[in-house]
Amino acid sequence: MKKSTKLELRAIELQQQINGLEANEANLAKRRELLAELDTVQTERRAALEAEAAAGDEHRGGDGLTAEEREFRALEGRAECRNAVHALIQGAELSGAEAEIQRHRGLSGAELPWELIAPRARADRGVEHRVDAVTPAPGTTQDNQRTPLGRVFARSATATLGVEMPSVPVGDVNVPVLSGSQAASNVAKGASVGDAAAGTLTAVTFSPTRIQFEYLMRREDKARMMGLEEVLRSDLSMAVADRVDAQVLAGNGTAPNFGGFLATAANGGLPALTAPSTEVSYELALAELARGVDGMYAGNLGECSMVVGDDTYRKLVGLINTGSGEVAAMTYSRMLSGFMASANIPAPQTNDQEGILARRGAGTNALCPMWGGVTLIVDEVSATNRKQGWISITAVLLSDFKITRADGFSRVAFQLA
C-alpha cells in the first residue's frame, strides 16, 4: 500500500475521532491534540503524493503504468466477486486477493470495493457450454443442471463518454472549476494594461445518493441448485452498473435521481438542441458528427466519442454513402475514439432520438464518485426470513453524478423517419 494511502486512512481515523468528541471543556485538550496530529498527517500526505507522482513518472513502463499500478491490475485480475459474496453469506472474513483489494481501499466487513463489482472486460466472456461440463444428475432425480442463465442488461456507456468514477472514502467531493478570466493581449511600448478581469471559481459538489436493491432466495433453492450464488453475484454486478449507467445517461435530476446528460439543463443536463426537421441522411449524419470538433475540448474527431440509442444505431447502419459505399455507422466507428449504442438512451419521441457526444481532448469533464464500495447485507435471522426459510441479500451503493464542464459534451439528435 502506498504511503499516501496509509496516511489518508490515518487522516480519516483522526477525523472520525474528532467528530466523535463532545464539545465540552474536558475534551478541549484532546481535540487540540487530534487536530495537531491531523495537520501533521495531511502535510506528510501531500509530500508523499508529490514524491509518488515524481517516482511514478520516472518509472512508467511501455504500457504507461507504474510498477505499483501493474501490480494492482494483476491483483484485480485474481480477485473474484463471487468469492467475496460467498464469504459474506457464510459469515466469514475475506481472504486472498479479495481481502488485499478491500484493505487497499480502506474498507472492512461487508463493504466490497467497486473493482470487484464493476463489470470488467474478460478474455473468457464467451464461455463454451460443453456437453461434458453438465452437472451430473443427483442420485434421486433425473435432472441434469446446466449453468444458470442470468438477466441481460444494457451495455455500460459511462466509460465510453470519459466519465471518471473515483473511489471516495468519506465526505462530500468538491471540484472547483475556473472560468471567466482575462485573455492575454499584445501591448504597445509604454501602453498600460487595464485591470485584470476576475476569474470565476465555481464549486461543483458531489454528495452521496443511495442506490439499493435486494435479492431473496430460499434455503431449499440454494441446496437444490448449483451455482445460485454465482448467478446472483453476476446479476448484482450488472444491476449496479446498469442503474448507475442509466442515471448517468438520462437521470431526470429530480431527487433522488441524478441529473444525467439528457436531463434538462436546469436539472443538471446538457443544453437542449432544436429538434431536427428532416429525416437523417448520410450527409446529415456527418453534420451531426462534426459537432464534436471545437478546437478547444477536441481538436479532431479522434478525441471524441458518442453514445446513441439502439434505434439510431440501426438507422445509421442503413445510411449508405453512394460514392464509397460506406455506411454511416462504419464512418462513426472509424473516425471516433468510441461509438456504441445503449439501451439506456431514451426511446425516440415523435421519431426523434437524442444521443451524447463527448469531447475528451481536455481531460475529465464529468465525475461519478463511488463512496467506499458496495456494501452487502445478508439477513437470515429477522422474523419473517427465519420463519419462512428466506435468505435476504441487500446491496447498497452510494454514488452521485455531475457534469463539471458542460462544453466538453453536446447533445446530438437524429430524426429517424
Side-chain angles (χ1 to χ4, degrees):
M1 185 182 296
K2 290 183 179 179
K3 181 179 179 181
S4 61
T5 304
K6 294 179 181 179
L7 290 170
E8 181 181 4
L9 295 177
R10 178 55 183 160
I12 293 171
E13 292 175 1
L14 290 170
Q15 189 63 62
Q16 289 173 341
Q17 292 178 37
I18 294 169
N19 294 341
L21 290 175
E22 294 184 10
N24 54 46
E25 191 69 26
N27 290 329
L28 185 58
K30 181 64 174 177
R31 183 180 182 83
R32 287 174 177 168
E33 178 186 340
L34 292 174
L35 285 171
E37 184 179 354
L38 178 61
D39 184 64
T40 301
V41 169
Q42 289 175 337
T43 301
E44 293 178 356
R45 179 175 175 271
R46 285 192 291 270
L49 285 171
E50 292 176 2
E52 289 164 3
D57 290 339
E58 293 175 0
H59 297 91
R60 290 188 183 277
D63 56 2
L65 302 176
T66 64
E68 183 167 351
E69 288 170 340
R70 265 189 239 88
E71 182 180 350
F72 188 75
R73 291 281 179 89
L75 186 64
E76 282 187 280
R78 297 198 309 272
E80 290 288 348
C81 186
R82 60 181 175 181
N83 296 335
V85 174
H86 180 76
L88 293 174
I89 291 176
Q90 301 300 325
E93 293 289 332
L94 298 189
S95 60
E98 296 77 24
E100 289 185 50
I101 288 185
Q102 188 185 50
R103 286 194 298 270
H104 183 83
R105 291 299 185 217
L107 306 176
S108 61
E111 296 175 332
L112 297 186
W114 176 247
E115 288 83 0
L116 287 180
I117 298 296
R120 289 169 283 175
R122 301 293 295 266
D124 58 351
R125 178 178 294 175
V127 179
E128 180 184 3
H129 297 290
R130 296 170 55 90
V131 173
D132 57 5
V134 174
T135 303
T140 57
T141 73
Q142 298 301 313
D143 294 332
N144 287 295
Q145 181 191 309
R146 295 177 66 91
T147 303
L149 299 178
R151 293 183 293 167
V152 177
F153 294 91
R155 295 293 187 264
S156 178
T158 303
T160 299
L161 294 173
V163 178
E164 186 179 347
M165 303 178 76
S167 178
V168 181
V170 68
D172 289 351
V173 176
N174 185 278
V175 180
V177 181
L178 177 63
S179 61
S181 188
Q182 186 184 40
S185 60
N186 291 1
V187 182
K189 181 179 180 180
S192 61
V193 180
D195 293 336
T200 301
L201 271 174
T202 303
V204 181
T205 303
F206 298 76
S207 300
T209 297
R210 177 161 45 99
I211 298 175
Q212 182 171 318
F213 41 96
E214 180 183 24
Y215 296 114
L216 283 172
M217 63 178 178
R218 290 188 182 275
R219 289 183 174 277
E220 295 90 338
D221 295 332
K222 182 181 176 183
R224 294 179 62 191
M225 185 169 74
M226 296 182 64
L228 177 60
E229 292 172 10
E230 167 63 15
V231 75
L232 290 182
R233 189 277 314 167
S234 176
D235 196 74
L236 163 73
S237 173
M238 297 304 296
V240 171
D242 184 64
R243 182 59 183 174
V244 172
D245 188 71
Q247 289 283 289
V248 167
L249 295 183
N252 62 20
T254 302
N257 295 311
F258 298 167
F261 285 113
L262 297 181
T264 63
N267 285 341
L270 298 173
L273 287 177
T274 302
S277 58
T278 306
E279 182 179 351
V280 64
S281 62
Y282 184 88
E283 291 73 19
L284 290 176
L286 288 189
E288 207 65 21
L289 182 64
R291 289 181 184 276
V293 179
D294 64 352
M296 294 177 62
Y297 287 83
N300 56 65
L301 288 175
E303 292 183 329
C304 299
S305 59
M306 189 184 294
V307 175
V308 298
D310 48 3
D311 293 87
T312 298
Y313 195 99
R314 287 192 291 269
K315 182 70 174 181
L316 294 175
V317 169
L319 301 179
I320 302 175
N321 181 359
T322 54
S324 66
E326 183 173 76
V327 301
M330 291 172 58
T331 303
Y332 274 46
S333 296
R334 177 168 52 83
M335 301 186 74
L336 294 168
S337 66
F339 175 58
M340 66 172 290
S342 171
N344 284 326
I345 294 288
Q349 299 293 321
T350 62
N351 291 327
D352 293 344
Q353 188 171 39
E354 294 187 319
I356 306 158
L357 186 148
R359 304 178 183 93
R360 304 179 60 179
T364 301
N365 300 310
L367 272 77
C368 183
M370 301 289 172
W371 273 263
V374 178
T375 300
L376 291 183
I377 304 169
V378 181
D379 173 26
E380 51 185 320
V381 297
S382 62
T384 301
N385 291 347
R386 183 180 69 252
K387 292 177 180 179
Q388 298 182 3
W390 287 108
I391 299 175
S392 166
I393 305 175
T394 302
V396 180
L397 168 71
L398 298 175
S399 184
D400 192 14
F401 170 77
K402 283 186 176 66
I403 300 170
T404 50
R405 295 188 295 198
D407 288 342
F409 303 94
S410 177
R411 292 178 190 253
V412 289
F414 303 86
Q415 184 172 314
L416 306 182

PDB file of all heavy atoms in Angstrom, residues 81-94 110 217 219 222 228-230 232-233 376-380 391-394:
ATOM      1  N   CYS A  81     -15.549 -11.475  -7.423  1.00  0.00           N
ATOM      2  CA  CYS A  81     -16.643 -11.022  -6.562  1.00  0.00           C
ATOM      3  C   CYS A  81     -17.381 -12.210  -5.946  1.00  0.00           C
ATOM      4  O   CYS A  81     -17.850 -12.143  -4.813  1.00  0.00           O
ATOM      5  CB  CYS A  81     -17.596 -10.137  -7.352  1.00  0.00           C
ATOM      6  SG  CYS A  81     -18.887  -9.394  -6.350  1.00  0.00           S
ATOM      7  N   ARG A  82     -17.494 -13.317  -6.686  1.00  0.00           N
ATOM      8  CA  ARG A  82     -18.248 -14.459  -6.164  1.00  0.00           C
ATOM      9  C   ARG A  82     -17.612 -14.996  -4.878  1.00  0.00           C
ATOM     10  O   ARG A  82     -18.317 -15.441  -3.972  1.00  0.00           O
ATOM     11  CB  ARG A  82     -18.311 -15.567  -7.218  1.00  0.00           C
ATOM     12  CG  ARG A  82     -16.955 -16.098  -7.658  1.00  0.00           C
ATOM     13  CD  ARG A  82     -17.096 -17.165  -8.713  1.00  0.00           C
ATOM     14  NE  ARG A  82     -15.798 -17.588  -9.209  1.00  0.00           N
ATOM     15  CZ  ARG A  82     -15.634 -18.505 -10.145  1.00  0.00           C
ATOM     16  NH1 ARG A  82     -16.689 -19.087 -10.676  1.00  0.00           N
ATOM     17  NH2 ARG A  82     -14.440 -18.831 -10.563  1.00  0.00           N
ATOM     18  N   ASN A  83     -16.260 -14.937  -4.782  1.00  0.00           N
ATOM     19  CA  ASN A  83     -15.597 -15.394  -3.558  1.00  0.00           C
ATOM     20  C   ASN A  83     -15.963 -14.498  -2.383  1.00  0.00           C
ATOM     21  O   ASN A  83     -16.190 -14.973  -1.266  1.00  0.00           O
ATOM     22  CB  ASN A  83     -14.084 -15.395  -3.758  1.00  0.00           C
ATOM     23  CG  ASN A  83     -13.639 -16.375  -4.825  1.00  0.00           C
ATOM     24  OD1 ASN A  83     -14.332 -17.348  -5.104  1.00  0.00           O
ATOM     25  ND2 ASN A  83     -12.499 -16.112  -5.438  1.00  0.00           N
ATOM     26  N   ALA A  84     -16.008 -13.173  -2.644  1.00  0.00           N
ATOM     27  CA  ALA A  84     -16.353 -12.234  -1.579  1.00  0.00           C
ATOM     28  C   ALA A  84     -17.793 -12.430  -1.129  1.00  0.00           C
ATOM     29  O   ALA A  84     -18.088 -12.451   0.069  1.00  0.00           O
ATOM     30  CB  ALA A  84     -16.128 -10.800  -2.062  1.00  0.00           C
ATOM     31  N   VAL A  85     -18.718 -12.563  -2.098  1.00  0.00           N
ATOM     32  CA  VAL A  85     -20.125 -12.750  -1.757  1.00  0.00           C
ATOM     33  C   VAL A  85     -20.320 -14.054  -0.983  1.00  0.00           C
ATOM     34  O   VAL A  85     -21.048 -14.104   0.008  1.00  0.00           O
ATOM     35  CB  VAL A  85     -20.993 -12.731  -3.028  1.00  0.00           C
ATOM     36  CG1 VAL A  85     -22.448 -13.077  -2.699  1.00  0.00           C
ATOM     37  CG2 VAL A  85     -20.930 -11.360  -3.683  1.00  0.00           C
ATOM     38  N   HIS A  86     -19.669 -15.117  -1.430  1.00  0.00           N
ATOM     39  CA  HIS A  86     -19.792 -16.411  -0.748  1.00  0.00           C
ATOM     40  C   HIS A  86     -19.304 -16.295   0.703  1.00  0.00           C
ATOM     41  O   HIS A  86     -19.954 -16.812   1.624  1.00  0.00           O
ATOM     42  CB  HIS A  86     -18.979 -17.465  -1.489  1.00  0.00           C
ATOM     43  CG  HIS A  86     -19.045 -18.826  -0.854  1.00  0.00           C
ATOM     44  ND1 HIS A  86     -20.148 -19.648  -0.963  1.00  0.00           N
ATOM     45  CD2 HIS A  86     -18.149 -19.492  -0.073  1.00  0.00           C
ATOM     46  CE1 HIS A  86     -19.927 -20.765  -0.287  1.00  0.00           C
ATOM     47  NE2 HIS A  86     -18.723 -20.695   0.259  1.00  0.00           N
ATOM     48  N   ALA A  87     -18.173 -15.597   0.915  1.00  0.00           N
ATOM     49  CA  ALA A  87     -17.649 -15.441   2.276  1.00  0.00           C
ATOM     50  C   ALA A  87     -18.617 -14.661   3.152  1.00  0.00           C
ATOM     51  O   ALA A  87     -18.855 -15.021   4.307  1.00  0.00           O
ATOM     52  CB  ALA A  87     -16.294 -14.734   2.230  1.00  0.00           C
ATOM     53  N   LEU A  88     -19.224 -13.605   2.595  1.00  0.00           N
ATOM     54  CA  LEU A  88     -20.149 -12.799   3.390  1.00  0.00           C
ATOM     55  C   LEU A  88     -21.408 -13.575   3.743  1.00  0.00           C
ATOM     56  O   LEU A  88     -21.950 -13.445   4.834  1.00  0.00           O
ATOM     57  CB  LEU A  88     -20.495 -11.517   2.632  1.00  0.00           C
ATOM     58  CG  LEU A  88     -19.330 -10.534   2.462  1.00  0.00           C
ATOM     59  CD1 LEU A  88     -19.741  -9.370   1.578  1.00  0.00           C
ATOM     60  CD2 LEU A  88     -18.868 -10.016   3.809  1.00  0.00           C
ATOM     61  N   ILE A  89     -21.904 -14.373   2.788  1.00  0.00           N
ATOM     62  CA  ILE A  89     -23.091 -15.186   3.058  1.00  0.00           C
ATOM     63  C   ILE A  89     -22.804 -16.194   4.170  1.00  0.00           C
ATOM     64  O   ILE A  89     -23.652 -16.475   5.023  1.00  0.00           O
ATOM     65  CB  ILE A  89     -23.558 -15.901   1.780  1.00  0.00           C
ATOM     66  CG1 ILE A  89     -24.125 -14.865   0.789  1.00  0.00           C
ATOM     67  CG2 ILE A  89     -24.619 -16.951   2.089  1.00  0.00           C
ATOM     68  CD1 ILE A  89     -24.524 -15.464  -0.539  1.00  0.00           C
ATOM     69  N   GLN A  90     -21.587 -16.725   4.169  1.00  0.00           N
ATOM     70  CA  GLN A  90     -21.212 -17.717   5.183  1.00  0.00           C
ATOM     71  C   GLN A  90     -20.776 -17.068   6.495  1.00  0.00           C
ATOM     72  O   GLN A  90     -20.470 -17.759   7.461  1.00  0.00           O
ATOM     73  CB  GLN A  90     -20.071 -18.599   4.653  1.00  0.00           C
ATOM     74  CG  GLN A  90     -20.418 -19.348   3.378  1.00  0.00           C
ATOM     75  CD  GLN A  90     -21.590 -20.281   3.546  1.00  0.00           C
ATOM     76  OE1 GLN A  90     -21.771 -20.875   4.613  1.00  0.00           O
ATOM     77  NE2 GLN A  90     -22.409 -20.421   2.520  1.00  0.00           N
ATOM     78  N   GLY A  91     -20.716 -15.719   6.549  1.00  0.00           N
ATOM     79  CA  GLY A  91     -20.299 -15.032   7.761  1.00  0.00           C
ATOM     80  C   GLY A  91     -18.805 -15.109   8.029  1.00  0.00           C
ATOM     81  O   GLY A  91     -18.363 -14.952   9.157  1.00  0.00           O
ATOM     82  N   ALA A  92     -18.011 -15.322   6.960  1.00  0.00           N
ATOM     83  CA  ALA A  92     -16.565 -15.448   7.122  1.00  0.00           C
ATOM     84  C   ALA A  92     -15.859 -14.181   6.663  1.00  0.00           C
ATOM     85  O   ALA A  92     -16.412 -13.371   5.925  1.00  0.00           O
ATOM     86  CB  ALA A  92     -16.052 -16.648   6.302  1.00  0.00           C
ATOM     87  N   GLU A  93     -14.606 -14.020   7.118  1.00  0.00           N
ATOM     88  CA  GLU A  93     -13.797 -12.880   6.687  1.00  0.00           C
ATOM     89  C   GLU A  93     -13.283 -13.128   5.269  1.00  0.00           C
ATOM     90  O   GLU A  93     -13.066 -14.274   4.855  1.00  0.00           O
ATOM     91  CB  GLU A  93     -12.601 -12.697   7.638  1.00  0.00           C
ATOM     92  CG  GLU A  93     -12.984 -12.263   9.044  1.00  0.00           C
ATOM     93  CD  GLU A  93     -13.483 -10.824   9.076  1.00  0.00           C
ATOM     94  OE1 GLU A  93     -13.074 -10.026   8.216  1.00  0.00           O
ATOM     95  OE2 GLU A  93     -14.292 -10.514   9.968  1.00  0.00           O
ATOM     96  N   LEU A  94     -13.075 -12.042   4.521  1.00  0.00           N
ATOM     97  CA  LEU A  94     -12.493 -12.175   3.194  1.00  0.00           C
ATOM     98  C   LEU A  94     -11.046 -12.624   3.320  1.00  0.00           C
ATOM     99  O   LEU A  94     -10.376 -12.370   4.321  1.00  0.00           O
ATOM    100  CB  LEU A  94     -12.550 -10.847   2.439  1.00  0.00           C
ATOM    101  CG  LEU A  94     -13.924 -10.250   2.139  1.00  0.00           C
ATOM    102  CD1 LEU A  94     -13.785  -9.062   1.203  1.00  0.00           C
ATOM    103  CD2 LEU A  94     -14.850 -11.286   1.530  1.00  0.00           C
ATOM    104  N   ALA A 110     -18.508  -5.965   5.552  1.00  0.00           N
ATOM    105  CA  ALA A 110     -19.351  -6.305   4.400  1.00  0.00           C
ATOM    106  C   ALA A 110     -19.217  -5.309   3.260  1.00  0.00           C
ATOM    107  O   ALA A 110     -19.995  -5.344   2.322  1.00  0.00           O
ATOM    108  CB  ALA A 110     -20.819  -6.368   4.844  1.00  0.00           C
ATOM    109  N   MET A 217     -33.689 -15.456  -1.596  1.00  0.00           N
ATOM    110  CA  MET A 217     -33.610 -16.838  -2.054  1.00  0.00           C
ATOM    111  C   MET A 217     -33.945 -17.752  -0.886  1.00  0.00           C
ATOM    112  O   MET A 217     -33.688 -17.419   0.283  1.00  0.00           O
ATOM    113  CB  MET A 217     -32.225 -17.168  -2.622  1.00  0.00           C
ATOM    114  CG  MET A 217     -31.072 -17.067  -1.641  1.00  0.00           C
ATOM    115  SD  MET A 217     -29.508 -17.533  -2.414  1.00  0.00           S
ATOM    116  CE  MET A 217     -28.362 -17.257  -1.055  1.00  0.00           C
ATOM    117  N   ARG A 219     -33.653 -21.268   1.314  1.00  0.00           N
ATOM    118  CA  ARG A 219     -32.615 -22.250   1.641  1.00  0.00           C
ATOM    119  C   ARG A 219     -32.756 -23.503   0.776  1.00  0.00           C
ATOM    120  O   ARG A 219     -31.764 -24.108   0.359  1.00  0.00           O
ATOM    121  CB  ARG A 219     -32.707 -22.645   3.115  1.00  0.00           C
ATOM    122  CG  ARG A 219     -32.263 -21.551   4.069  1.00  0.00           C
ATOM    123  CD  ARG A 219     -32.298 -22.021   5.507  1.00  0.00           C
ATOM    124  NE  ARG A 219     -31.744 -21.020   6.402  1.00  0.00           N
ATOM    125  CZ  ARG A 219     -30.460 -20.854   6.646  1.00  0.00           C
ATOM    126  NH1 ARG A 219     -29.583 -21.650   6.039  1.00  0.00           N
ATOM    127  NH2 ARG A 219     -30.030 -19.925   7.469  1.00  0.00           N
ATOM    128  N   LYS A 222     -31.195 -22.886  -2.589  1.00  0.00           N
ATOM    129  CA  LYS A 222     -29.735 -22.901  -2.508  1.00  0.00           C
ATOM    130  C   LYS A 222     -29.201 -24.324  -2.460  1.00  0.00           C
ATOM    131  O   LYS A 222     -28.145 -24.634  -3.026  1.00  0.00           O
ATOM    132  CB  LYS A 222     -29.293 -22.122  -1.272  1.00  0.00           C
ATOM    133  CG  LYS A 222     -27.784 -22.028  -1.098  1.00  0.00           C
ATOM    134  CD  LYS A 222     -27.436 -21.269   0.173  1.00  0.00           C
ATOM    135  CE  LYS A 222     -25.938 -21.267   0.387  1.00  0.00           C
ATOM    136  NZ  LYS A 222     -25.551 -20.600   1.646  1.00  0.00           N
ATOM    137  N   LEU A 228     -26.174 -21.045  -7.704  1.00  0.00           N
ATOM    138  CA  LEU A 228     -27.142 -19.986  -7.428  1.00  0.00           C
ATOM    139  C   LEU A 228     -26.438 -18.716  -6.963  1.00  0.00           C
ATOM    140  O   LEU A 228     -26.756 -17.613  -7.411  1.00  0.00           O
ATOM    141  CB  LEU A 228     -28.138 -20.452  -6.364  1.00  0.00           C
ATOM    142  CG  LEU A 228     -29.188 -19.405  -5.928  1.00  0.00           C
ATOM    143  CD1 LEU A 228     -30.027 -18.977  -7.115  1.00  0.00           C
ATOM    144  CD2 LEU A 228     -30.075 -19.961  -4.818  1.00  0.00           C
ATOM    145  N   GLU A 229     -25.463 -18.859  -6.052  1.00  0.00           N
ATOM    146  CA  GLU A 229     -24.752 -17.678  -5.565  1.00  0.00           C
ATOM    147  C   GLU A 229     -23.998 -16.988  -6.701  1.00  0.00           C
ATOM    148  O   GLU A 229     -23.921 -15.765  -6.768  1.00  0.00           O
ATOM    149  CB  GLU A 229     -23.786 -18.081  -4.451  1.00  0.00           C
ATOM    150  CG  GLU A 229     -24.492 -18.550  -3.185  1.00  0.00           C
ATOM    151  CD  GLU A 229     -23.518 -19.112  -2.170  1.00  0.00           C
ATOM    152  OE1 GLU A 229     -22.297 -18.953  -2.394  1.00  0.00           O
ATOM    153  OE2 GLU A 229     -23.957 -19.684  -1.170  1.00  0.00           O
ATOM    154  N   GLU A 230     -23.459 -17.779  -7.624  1.00  0.00           N
ATOM    155  CA  GLU A 230     -22.706 -17.201  -8.739  1.00  0.00           C
ATOM    156  C   GLU A 230     -23.601 -16.392  -9.663  1.00  0.00           C
ATOM    157  O   GLU A 230     -23.252 -15.286 -10.088  1.00  0.00           O
ATOM    158  CB  GLU A 230     -22.009 -18.318  -9.519  1.00  0.00           C
ATOM    159  CG  GLU A 230     -21.447 -17.900 -10.868  1.00  0.00           C
ATOM    160  CD  GLU A 230     -20.352 -16.858 -10.753  1.00  0.00           C
ATOM    161  OE1 GLU A 230     -19.821 -16.661  -9.643  1.00  0.00           O
ATOM    162  OE2 GLU A 230     -20.044 -16.227 -11.779  1.00  0.00           O
ATOM    163  N   LEU A 232     -26.436 -14.970  -8.884  1.00  0.00           N
ATOM    164  CA  LEU A 232     -26.850 -13.774  -8.160  1.00  0.00           C
ATOM    165  C   LEU A 232     -25.722 -12.756  -8.109  1.00  0.00           C
ATOM    166  O   LEU A 232     -25.946 -11.544  -8.222  1.00  0.00           O
ATOM    167  CB  LEU A 232     -27.293 -14.133  -6.741  1.00  0.00           C
ATOM    168  CG  LEU A 232     -28.600 -14.916  -6.621  1.00  0.00           C
ATOM    169  CD1 LEU A 232     -28.941 -15.147  -5.156  1.00  0.00           C
ATOM    170  CD2 LEU A 232     -29.744 -14.194  -7.311  1.00  0.00           C
ATOM    171  N   ARG A 233     -24.489 -13.217  -7.944  1.00  0.00           N
ATOM    172  CA  ARG A 233     -23.334 -12.308  -7.948  1.00  0.00           C
ATOM    173  C   ARG A 233     -23.218 -11.602  -9.289  1.00  0.00           C
ATOM    174  O   ARG A 233     -23.041 -10.384  -9.366  1.00  0.00           O
ATOM    175  CB  ARG A 233     -22.078 -13.115  -7.659  1.00  0.00           C
ATOM    176  CG  ARG A 233     -20.809 -12.295  -7.413  1.00  0.00           C
ATOM    177  CD  ARG A 233     -20.083 -11.847  -8.644  1.00  0.00           C
ATOM    178  NE  ARG A 233     -19.929 -12.905  -9.617  1.00  0.00           N
ATOM    179  CZ  ARG A 233     -19.549 -12.684 -10.867  1.00  0.00           C
ATOM    180  NH1 ARG A 233     -19.335 -11.461 -11.286  1.00  0.00           N
ATOM    181  NH2 ARG A 233     -19.439 -13.683 -11.713  1.00  0.00           N
ATOM    182  N   LEU A 376     -22.751  -5.195   1.220  1.00  0.00           N
ATOM    183  CA  LEU A 376     -23.709  -6.295   1.166  1.00  0.00           C
ATOM    184  C   LEU A 376     -24.221  -6.601   2.573  1.00  0.00           C
ATOM    185  O   LEU A 376     -23.431  -6.740   3.510  1.00  0.00           O
ATOM    186  CB  LEU A 376     -23.070  -7.551   0.589  1.00  0.00           C
ATOM    187  CG  LEU A 376     -22.695  -7.515  -0.895  1.00  0.00           C
ATOM    188  CD1 LEU A 376     -22.152  -8.866  -1.316  1.00  0.00           C
ATOM    189  CD2 LEU A 376     -23.881  -7.142  -1.756  1.00  0.00           C
ATOM    190  N   ILE A 377     -25.534  -6.684   2.718  1.00  0.00           N
ATOM    191  CA  ILE A 377     -26.161  -7.006   3.998  1.00  0.00           C
ATOM    192  C   ILE A 377     -26.886  -8.341   3.838  1.00  0.00           C
ATOM    193  O   ILE A 377     -27.823  -8.454   3.042  1.00  0.00           O
ATOM    194  CB  ILE A 377     -27.160  -5.915   4.422  1.00  0.00           C
ATOM    195  CG1 ILE A 377     -26.456  -4.547   4.462  1.00  0.00           C
ATOM    196  CG2 ILE A 377     -27.782  -6.242   5.767  1.00  0.00           C
ATOM    197  CD1 ILE A 377     -27.410  -3.386   4.610  1.00  0.00           C
ATOM    198  N   VAL A 378     -26.436  -9.342   4.540  1.00  0.00           N
ATOM    199  CA  VAL A 378     -27.048 -10.672   4.475  1.00  0.00           C
ATOM    200  C   VAL A 378     -27.928 -10.867   5.704  1.00  0.00           C
ATOM    201  O   VAL A 378     -27.466 -10.739   6.838  1.00  0.00           O
ATOM    202  CB  VAL A 378     -25.973 -11.772   4.403  1.00  0.00           C
ATOM    203  CG1 VAL A 378     -26.624 -13.148   4.321  1.00  0.00           C
ATOM    204  CG2 VAL A 378     -25.060 -11.550   3.213  1.00  0.00           C
ATOM    205  N   ASP A 379     -29.210 -11.153   5.492  1.00  0.00           N
ATOM    206  CA  ASP A 379     -30.169 -11.284   6.599  1.00  0.00           C
ATOM    207  C   ASP A 379     -30.901 -12.614   6.482  1.00  0.00           C
ATOM    208  O   ASP A 379     -31.605 -12.862   5.499  1.00  0.00           O
ATOM    209  CB  ASP A 379     -31.175 -10.131   6.570  1.00  0.00           C
ATOM    210  CG  ASP A 379     -32.303 -10.321   7.590  1.00  0.00           C
ATOM    211  OD1 ASP A 379     -32.060 -11.015   8.596  1.00  0.00           O
ATOM    212  OD2 ASP A 379     -33.398  -9.789   7.360  1.00  0.00           O
ATOM    213  N   GLU A 380     -30.709 -13.457   7.467  1.00  0.00           N
ATOM    214  CA  GLU A 380     -31.463 -14.712   7.504  1.00  0.00           C
ATOM    215  C   GLU A 380     -32.041 -14.965   8.902  1.00  0.00           C
ATOM    216  O   GLU A 380     -32.503 -16.054   9.194  1.00  0.00           O
ATOM    217  CB  GLU A 380     -30.578 -15.889   7.095  1.00  0.00           C
ATOM    218  CG  GLU A 380     -29.264 -15.975   7.832  1.00  0.00           C
ATOM    219  CD  GLU A 380     -28.398 -17.093   7.301  1.00  0.00           C
ATOM    220  OE1 GLU A 380     -28.935 -18.168   7.003  1.00  0.00           O
ATOM    221  OE2 GLU A 380     -27.171 -16.884   7.187  1.00  0.00           O
ATOM    222  N   ILE A 391     -33.348 -16.216   2.707  1.00  0.00           N
ATOM    223  CA  ILE A 391     -32.075 -15.520   2.905  1.00  0.00           C
ATOM    224  C   ILE A 391     -32.138 -14.264   2.056  1.00  0.00           C
ATOM    225  O   ILE A 391     -32.344 -14.328   0.839  1.00  0.00           O
ATOM    226  CB  ILE A 391     -30.864 -16.379   2.483  1.00  0.00           C
ATOM    227  CG1 ILE A 391     -30.815 -17.659   3.320  1.00  0.00           C
ATOM    228  CG2 ILE A 391     -29.566 -15.599   2.642  1.00  0.00           C
ATOM    229  CD1 ILE A 391     -29.726 -18.617   2.883  1.00  0.00           C
ATOM    230  N   SER A 392     -31.995 -13.123   2.699  1.00  0.00           N
ATOM    231  CA  SER A 392     -32.055 -11.831   2.007  1.00  0.00           C
ATOM    232  C   SER A 392     -30.650 -11.285   1.801  1.00  0.00           C
ATOM    233  O   SER A 392     -29.850 -11.270   2.733  1.00  0.00           O
ATOM    234  CB  SER A 392     -32.892 -10.839   2.815  1.00  0.00           C
ATOM    235  OG  SER A 392     -32.706  -9.525   2.338  1.00  0.00           O
ATOM    236  N   ILE A 393     -30.348 -10.870   0.568  1.00  0.00           N
ATOM    237  CA  ILE A 393     -29.071 -10.218   0.265  1.00  0.00           C
ATOM    238  C   ILE A 393     -29.389  -8.825  -0.260  1.00  0.00           C
ATOM    239  O   ILE A 393     -29.983  -8.677  -1.329  1.00  0.00           O
ATOM    240  CB  ILE A 393     -28.256 -11.000  -0.786  1.00  0.00           C
ATOM    241  CG1 ILE A 393     -28.057 -12.454  -0.351  1.00  0.00           C
ATOM    242  CG2 ILE A 393     -26.910 -10.329  -1.019  1.00  0.00           C
ATOM    243  CD1 ILE A 393     -27.374 -13.309  -1.391  1.00  0.00           C
ATOM    244  N   THR A 394     -29.036  -7.812   0.502  1.00  0.00           N
ATOM    245  CA  THR A 394     -29.282  -6.426   0.109  1.00  0.00           C
ATOM    246  C   THR A 394     -27.957  -5.760  -0.220  1.00  0.00           C
ATOM    247  O   THR A 394     -26.994  -5.869   0.536  1.00  0.00           O
ATOM    248  CB  THR A 394     -29.977  -5.647   1.247  1.00  0.00           C
ATOM    249  OG1 THR A 394     -31.199  -6.299   1.585  1.00  0.00           O
ATOM    250  CG2 THR A 394     -30.285  -4.214   0.820  1.00  0.00           C
TER     251      THR A 394
END
